[in-house]
Amino acid sequence: EPEVTQTPSHQVTQMGQEVILRCVPISNHLYFYWYRQILGQKVEFLVSFYNNEISEKSEIFDDQFSVERPDGSNFTLKIRSTKLEDSAMYFCASSSRGRGYTFGSGTRLTVV
Amino acid sequence: TQLLEQSPQFLSIQEGENLTVYCNSSSVFSSLQWYRQEPGEGPVLLVTVVTGGEVKKLKRLTFQFGDARKDSSLHITAAQPGDTGLYLCAGAMVGSGGSNYKLTFGKGTLLTVNP
């Protein structure tokens, strides 16, 4: 069964530092997404990416966030200057037609 | 803003019992997806329902999409301890870019099946 792979599984960073979360989507998928889940809260949409550009972003996805597909396999989420409230599980997902998602196992980001 | 309300939030039952969890919204979705999430893991897709009134079965799990495509239910027959987990519903809407679907998740139903 194809998987979405995320690294690292855990990341601890100091407030104000930059972090890059990495994802390898399923190879024949065309749509890529980042979601996040703050402890005890709902899974929330951050951004969708298609055809090498952002197709939609939520109000959470402000100027401190960026996404990139630097090569044919990786999809990254960068947070430029982390805040305490950025602590959450970050999930990458991909889909072929935008209906059935495959999620990765997530990166637990802790900002201290 | 689309909201999905799931009920109940917590459900604890004995092995062999039947149960139904509900997912309700005031918004119409193009499709509705049910996921199961284990602690520390990402959601795993169980089923997607697309057509109003659609019923899908996955072994002992039966999923139904409401006629108006605003609500859905998940029924589990003869629950087993292995069914224990967090069940999430998510409504799919075509994004503003027109070429993607973004998901709006409910808070989930945490099911515990006791042996």
Side-chain angles (χ1 to χ4, degrees):
Chain A
E1 183 95 23
E3 290 184 342
V4 173
T5 304
Q6 289 188 244
T7 55
S9 55
H10 295 90
Q11 174 89 48
V12 180
T13 189
Q14 288 200 324
M15 190 169 57
Q17 294 296 303
E18 174 184 287
V19 294
I20 297 176
L21 310 183
R22 302 182 190 276
C23 170
V24 179
I26 293 174
S27 60
N28 62 349
H29 283 183
L30 300 177
Y31 304 91
F32 313 113
Y33 309 85
W34 284 99
Y35 285 75
R36 79 172 185 189
Q37 186 175 33
I38 294 171
L39 187 63
Q41 297 188 22
K42 296 180 184 181
V43 177
E44 301 174 289
F45 170 79
L46 290 179
V47 66
S48 58
F49 192 86
Y50 170 72
N51 202 25
N52 287 319
E53 62 182 15
I54 290 174
S55 48
E56 185 168 1
K57 58 185 180 180
S58 72
E59 58 193 24
I60 302 169
F61 194 89
D62 61 22
D63 290 345
Q64 72 163 333
F65 290 90
S66 62
V67 290
E68 194 177 32
R69 189 155 163 82
D71 53 44
S73 60
N74 292 286
F75 180 50
T76 62
L77 173 69
K78 182 191 292 185
I79 310 175
R80 289 188 183 84
S81 179
T82 50
K83 304 171 190 170
L84 294 176
E85 54 264 37
D86 294 329
S87 295
M89 283 288 286
Y90 287 80
F91 295 109
C92 173
S94 67
S95 68
S96 58
R97 290 174 53 199
R99 287 186 175 176
Y101 283 33
T102 300
F103 282 85
S105 295
T107 293
R108 181 176 299 283
L109 177 65
T110 303
V111 182
V112 297
Chain B
T1 302
Q2 298 89 22
L3 290 174
L4 276 172
E5 299 293 333
Q6 287 190 247
S7 61
Q9 193 174 350
F10 301 97
L11 185 58
S12 180
I13 61 171
Q14 293 300 121
E15 183 175 0
E17 292 183 356
N18 302 331
L19 67 113
T20 303
V21 300
Y22 300 92
C23 177
N24 295 291
S25 175
S26 57
S27 301
V28 176
F29 293 100
S30 57
S31 68
L32 199 135
Q33 304 176 10
W34 284 91
Y35 291 83
R36 179 172 162 176
Q37 186 179 24
E38 301 298 332
E41 297 289 325
V44 175
L45 180 67
L46 296 174
V47 78
T48 301
V49 285
V50 179
T51 307
E54 182 176 4
V55 177
K56 280 193 174 177
K57 292 194 173 184
L58 188 65
K59 296 182 180 178
R60 293 175 294 100
L61 278 61
T62 302
F63 304 85
Q64 184 160 10
F65 201 12
D67 291 340
R69 303 200 343 259
K70 293 182 179 180
D71 55 87
S72 182
S73 64
L74 158 60
H75 182 79
I76 302 179
T77 304
Q80 299 176 1
D83 295 326
T84 294
L86 180 66
Y87 290 84
L88 300 170
C89 68
M93 298 282 284
V94 175
S96 60
S99 58
N100 62 284
Y101 288 75
K102 69 174 185 179
L103 296 179
T104 299
F105 280 86
K107 275 193 169 183
T109 294
L110 185 60
L111 172 66
T112 303
V113 183
N114 303 297

